[in-house]
Amino acid sequence: MKQTRKTKSQRRWPFIVILLAVVAAAAGGWYYFNSREAADAAQATPALQTAKVRTGDIIITANGSGNLLPASETALGFRSGGVLA
């Protein structure tokens, strides 16, 4: 069996292919993550609503009967008593 020597360009060929594959994968990953961030930012930004300004009175009324209950209660304790004016 006769052994043949590989030329310099034949030995370099696999490294070039691997290097190109790594560069392509890095470029694809960069593109994917940048486009994903842009899509997330577009969804997170609410649409602006505009309206013409009008002058006038604001009238809000409410009526009814019932009991008001606080959402939470807190007990406060002070070292000294007095009247706040």
Side-chain angles (χ1 to χ4, degrees), residues 39-75:
D40 290 343
Q43 290 176 354
T45 305
L48 297 177
Q49 295 181 352
T50 60
K52 283 193 169 191
V53 176
R54 298 182 299 197
T55 58
D57 296 333
I58 297 176
I59 301 171
I60 298 174
T61 59
N63 58 17
S65 62
N67 296 326
L68 295 177
L69 299 174
S72 64
E73 291 185 22
T74 302

